[in-house]
Amino acid sequence: MLSAGRFQNRCPGCRQQVLSFYDALLQQRTRVAARPLLRPSPTSPAARRGLVRHLSSTRSVFQEATRSTSGATSTEPPGGDPELSREDAEYDAETFVRQARQTFKHTLPYGYFTEEEYKIYERLYGAPLRETVPEDVGIPELGGVNVGGQNGPQRTLFVETESGHFEEVEYTIEQPPVEESDVEAVAELRPLTEAQIDYLNVTANNKREFAALMRLQRDFEAASLRPLEEIVEEEEVQQKEEVEHFEEEEGIEEDEEERLLPEQSVNDRVHSHTAIGIFRTKPSTLLLPNATFTEHIKDLLSRTNPSHVREHAEKVFGGPGLPHSPATPATKKNLGQKPVAMQAGHHRMSAIEADTYITTVLPGLYATTTSILVEVRKRLGSDWLQGLLTNGTGPRVLDVGAGGAGLAAWQEVLQAEWELLREQGKVQGREPVGKKTVVVGSENLRQRVSRFLHNTTFLPRLPDYLHSAEGAERMLESGGGPGQRKVFDVIIASHQLMPLDKSYKRKDFIDNLWTMLNPEGGVLIVLEKGHPRGFEAVADVRDRMLSEFIIPPVPAENGEDMTAVPESGRIREPGHIIAPCTNHTKCPMYLTPGESAGRKDFCHFSQRFIRPSFLQRVLGASHRNHEDIEFSYIAIRRGAHPDGVRSSSTGSNLTDSASSFFQGPEAVDRAFKGYEDVEAGTPHALSLPRNVMPPLKSKGHVTLDLCTPAGTIERWVVPKSFSKQAYHDARKAKWGDLWALGAKTRTRREIRLGKAGKNAENLATGLKNAGDGGVRSRELAGLGSKQKPRVVEVTVDPNTNRILAASEKYPNGRAPVERRTKNGKKVKMNDLMDELQDDPHHGKYVDPDDIEDEEFRRAPLPEGFLEKGLFGDKK
């Protein structure tokens, strides 16, 4: 068929020749030169017989072209042609309908079938979707169509501006004007060339189809004469009407409507304090950057067979699903809580191992590190990053364990802040300043990571300043000044603690990182897998930081002197926990140091990201391209307190009266009342409770499990009757968000700590949330449900009331499983008899009613009992 889009660069004369040629085709008597353009379908009877004639020998059914009101030509469809159905011996209604289905698919031209044919169509295929449009039969859309002597299509170019951005510029190619005399002369030109005839790919099974196709072609030509702006305007109006009709008919509920809206629109409806406490990236589902990250990995993997990478990944990471990679699937959580099997610091790594590492480990580490850095940036504010960017040297960042994924995530966060400073005119240049360092032990991995990390220093191993003279300046016994060493403003330690099986190795590792951290506001981030063992490793770091390294911004509840020198001999410095904790007391989920078997509740979070195509192939995933990766982390700042907190010489910190920062029971009570009203003021982010579990959203109320600034785990309930705004925001709350709008009720939530929570020592100490929230711990504490009474069936001698036999009955007839022994039942009955003989009645059966009557007779009567006439009138 003819497509005007294919002739957009042809001269107007050639195009007019084609149009005049089709005008001749639609006349009552067609020319012979046009006959080859009507190609019989290979399935038609004529094609099977090898005939070159048309499908009907009757007179032509092509109708003369008529002029429409808009000046374009069109032909009416022949509808139900009686001559075609009566005179054509080869006509078959069902075959005719099936041919129309092949040509027009799920649509039909207007008035194409007779009533009988339409009934057959509905019986075979059902009602058509709509009327056929030119695009349904292969006629291209109107984009870029050049009509007549008008100017050519608009084109765009991207021109770089002075600020480094690219600006879109539109331009047109003007065509030479065409005179009317040239157009009239074109109509009398020679027949079409072979190239033009090959392009007119018309396939028709019969004359009626041919006429319908011609009508669609003429409609397309008429529409191509309309201005493009008019077409776009009509499409926008139609789309708006469809959306309004859909909303009126469907009646979308509030929650469903907000799920359909962009994330920015949903956030605009929440309270400003709720928006401050959001813990997630924007958008919440993270898409890994293509140009700066995934594209380089794809190029590296193009030379490797994906099946080899998949086989090696399953061998190293524990089989299908890769449970021992940074992301553990839900179906593989019972395979053992092990660390990440491959480390970036390994010195020996083959080419296939390096390809496996960048394929399976880097995407997950990028997602988790980005989530943590975004949260740290929110809690410290823009002044923190802007201060690092404008200090002259830029931020110094160390990536330990992430193999460069941490630096790639840092670069994205830093670039966003750099663009803001550029808009304000505070900095110049495209790339942010700073120094980046990563620990990569293998040469094969270093070559691959360097493809997307530029201006980066690669270290084969982590420097050990702890056991050198340079690391002694922070110790009391130091006799000399410190030497030069590397100091970093941000240190990201990913999955480095769990591979260290000894506690002293973990201690030395953290101490070494602390010596490399900037004492004037440096940030240390420790990241592990989101399972109990990973949480315990992070919680141990938190305990050591509070007890040995930093002076928290709030005084200790037990009155501990923060200026006292700990056993390690290290001098404490001001510091605070940035995230996720909003308290500086003992972690309520880590009451007893060390591992705890059976731990059910632990602090961890989740980040969803879109898997790259190479990770999809390795995992063999075909129906889902996103992944939720769980992780535990802690971010600590050295040498600085939150805004409004001043350190005193006595070690007790003072909080300014104008500051909104405070922690402890007072902060919990204030947060429980809520900050919804304007008079309540703006809360400090570190004075709010955090959702440590996914909120439970029921009909009419929302239940939030929060870790409070007082160091307790509480369950807050926000019903609809409490506050309309609070209830709305609670339904939008996510796992990890801070909560500032209060609640109606609050209760302490029992925590399932496993065996560590069932120690009698913990229960006796009176610690907050001591004990496990499970059944065994409640029984140990005497808080469990009442024990069911023991049922023993006995056989009694009626003459002597002596017990002859006894057997114990169990609920539902389920006796405990015991080892079978010789005469086992008899021995068990004798033991039960001996137990009953310990009774003071010496094994005699005594009716409980008789005991009750005896006690009643021996009990003295109350004074005046008989005078009250309870047993009748006194005589």
Side-chain angles (χ1 to χ4, degrees), residues 41 45 65 67 92 96 117 133 346 360 407 482 523 583 594 606 662 702 732 746 777 816:
S41 173
R67 287 285 171 183
D92 179 69
F96 183 80
E117 293 167 349
V133 296
H346 288 172
T360 57
L407 291 183
V523 176
N583 65 83
S606 177
F662 54 97
V702 181
K732 307 307 172 189
R746 53 185 286 199
S777 180

Side-chain angles (χ1 to χ4, degrees), residues 2 136 146 153 289 301 320 356 374 406 418 482 501 560 569 580 634 662 807 873:
L2 174 65
D136 296 331
N146 184 17
L301 296 176
T356 302
V374 169
W418 182 263
D501 54 347
E560 180 184 358
I634 187 170
F662 54 97
S807 61
D873 296 337

Side-chain angles (χ1 to χ4, degrees), residues 178-491:
V178 181
E179 299 180 0
E180 297 182 359
S181 59
D182 295 337
V183 176
E184 295 177 357
V186 166
E188 303 297 334
L189 290 178
R190 60 186 182 278
L192 298 178
T193 62
E194 294 183 359
Q196 293 171 333
I197 293 178
D198 291 339
Y199 173 72
L200 299 175
N201 187 14
V202 179
T203 302
N205 296 294
N206 48 63
K207 297 179 180 180
R208 199 187 301 180
E209 275 190 14
F210 187 86
L213 294 173
M214 291 299 100
R215 179 175 181 269
L216 292 172
Q217 179 64 47
R218 304 312 301 176
D219 292 343
F220 170 73
E221 296 296 339
S224 64
L225 298 176
R226 300 171 57 193
L228 185 59
E229 293 78 5
E230 182 180 347
I231 298 175
V232 173
E233 183 179 356
E234 285 189 2
E235 292 178 353
E236 292 178 353
V237 173
Q238 183 179 3
Q239 184 178 5
K240 184 178 179 181
E241 292 177 353
E242 291 178 355
V243 172
E244 294 176 354
H245 176 73
F246 175 76
E247 293 178 353
E248 293 176 359
E249 295 294 332
E250 299 295 333
I252 306 177
E253 296 182 358
E254 180 181 357
D255 290 350
E256 296 180 357
E257 180 181 359
E258 294 189 353
R259 282 198 295 267
L260 298 176
L261 292 175
E263 198 163 328
Q264 178 65 28
S265 302
V266 177
N267 291 341
D268 291 343
R269 299 184 58 182
V270 300
H271 197 276
S272 58
H273 299 337
T274 305
I276 294 175
I278 291 178
F279 169 80
R280 54 182 176 271
T281 58
K282 186 177 180 180
S284 58
T285 301
L286 187 64
L287 180 63
L288 307 186
N290 185 39
T292 60
F293 190 68
T294 58
E295 188 65 31
H296 299 284
I297 300 179
K298 290 179 183 179
D299 295 340
L300 291 170
L301 296 176
S302 60
R303 59 190 180 185
T304 306
N305 192 334
S307 61
H308 296 169
V309 177
R310 180 176 182 178
E311 291 175 2
H312 191 270
E314 293 180 353
K315 179 182 178 181
V316 174
F317 294 112
L322 313 181
H324 300 154
S325 64
T328 301
T331 57
K332 305 290 184 179
K333 288 185 177 181
N334 296 328
L335 294 182
Q337 301 173 20
K338 297 182 179 181
V340 178
M342 297 183 68
Q343 297 294 325
H346 288 172
H347 295 284
R348 294 182 179 180
M349 188 177 292
S350 62
I352 189 64
E353 290 176 340
D355 290 338
T356 302
Y357 185 88
I358 65 175
T359 304
T360 57
V361 178
L362 291 187
L365 291 183
Y366 180 91
T368 54
T369 307
T370 301
S371 179
I372 296 172
L373 290 175
V374 169
E375 178 67 11
V376 172
R377 159 64 178 78
K378 289 180 179 179
R379 302 303 151 234
L380 294 181
S382 59
D383 295 340
W384 168 62
L385 268 185
Q386 293 183 5
L388 293 177
L389 289 171
T390 56
N391 62 3
T393 59
R396 298 159 295 181
V397 187
L398 173 63
D399 182 358
V400 185
L407 291 183
W410 167 262
Q411 187 67 22
E412 290 294 325
V413 176
L414 198 66
Q415 186 68 39
E417 199 72 33
W418 182 263
E419 295 295 336
L420 294 177
L421 292 177
R422 275 182 48 180
E423 293 178 359
Q424 299 173 3
K426 297 181 180 180
V427 295
Q428 296 179 354
R430 298 182 182 179
E431 298 294 333
V433 296
K435 297 180 180 180
K436 298 179 293 183
T437 306
V438 60
V439 178
V440 176
S442 170
E443 180 65 25
N444 288 324
L445 182 60
R446 188 182 305 117
Q447 293 175 357
R448 287 160 173 77
V449 173
S450 62
R451 294 286 295 271
F452 58 86
L453 289 183
H454 307 290
N455 301 326
T456 303
T457 302
F458 290 83
L459 299 179
R461 62 181 179 276
L462 188 67
D464 187 4
Y465 296 131
L466 183 65
H467 299 93
S468 63
E470 300 174 358
E473 78 281 1
R474 309 302 296 179
M475 311 300 289
L476 293 179
E477 62 271 14
S478 174
Q484 290 186 353
R485 70 173 190 274
K486 295 182 179 296
V487 177
F488 301 95
D489 299 309
V490 178
I491 298 179

Side-chain angles (χ1 to χ4, degrees), residues 615-825:
L615 183 57
Q616 281 283 93
R617 288 192 295 268
V618 171
L619 293 174
S622 58
H623 64 285
R624 183 168 63 93
N625 68 336
H626 66 268
E627 185 170 353
D628 296 320
I629 182 169
E630 297 179 354
F631 57 94
S632 296
Y633 79 100
I634 187 170
I636 301 175
R637 193 176 191 188
R638 177 184 183 184
H641 278 154
D643 297 338
V645 179
R646 296 179 286 105
S647 300
S648 64
S649 58
T650 60
S652 59
N653 299 312
L654 304 177
T655 304
D656 296 339
S657 58
S659 174
S660 60
F661 172 80
F662 54 97
Q663 293 181 348
E666 179 187 359
V668 181
D669 296 339
R670 187 66 192 86
F672 179 71
K673 294 180 181 179
Y675 293 89
E676 183 177 349
D677 297 335
V678 180
E679 294 79 7
T682 302
H684 197 284
L686 298 181
S687 301
L688 298 175
R690 185 183 294 274
N691 284 280
V692 292
M693 299 178 187
L696 305 176
K697 301 175 183 178
S698 305
K699 185 176 181 180
H701 70 277
V702 181
T703 304
L704 307 176
D705 292 322
L706 305 173
C707 181
T708 66
T712 59
I713 304 295
E714 297 184 359
R715 173 163 285 185
W716 293 11
V717 179
V718 183
K720 186 182 295 186
S721 59
F722 175 70
S723 168
K724 182 178 180 181
Q725 182 67 49
Y727 177 74
H728 171 272
D729 291 8
R731 297 202 69 86
K732 307 307 172 189
K734 302 292 183 181
W735 184 6
D737 292 351
L738 299 175
W739 182 247
L741 300 187
K744 188 173 185 178
T745 61
R746 53 185 286 199
T747 56
R748 191 185 73 173
R749 188 189 187 281
E750 299 293 342
I751 312 170
R752 298 166 296 177
L753 303 179
K755 291 184 178 180
K758 298 197 296 289
N759 295 336
E761 181 182 358
N762 288 344
L763 297 173
T765 56
L767 294 175
K768 295 180 180 179
N769 291 332
D772 187 5
V775 177
R776 297 178 181 177
S777 180
R778 290 199 300 269
E779 291 179 354
L780 183 62
L783 303 176
S785 58
K786 295 182 179 180
Q787 188 175 6
K788 293 183 179 180
R790 190 178 180 185
V791 180
V792 179
E793 183 177 311
V794 296
T795 303
V796 183
D797 186 356
N799 298 324
T800 60
N801 285 341
R802 306 289 295 185
I803 298 177
L804 301 180
S807 61
E808 188 172 357
K809 298 297 182 182
Y810 298 97
N812 300 327
R814 298 178 180 178
V817 179
E818 298 179 354
R819 183 177 179 181
R820 296 185 61 183
T821 59
K822 187 177 181 179
N823 298 326
K825 292 183 178 181

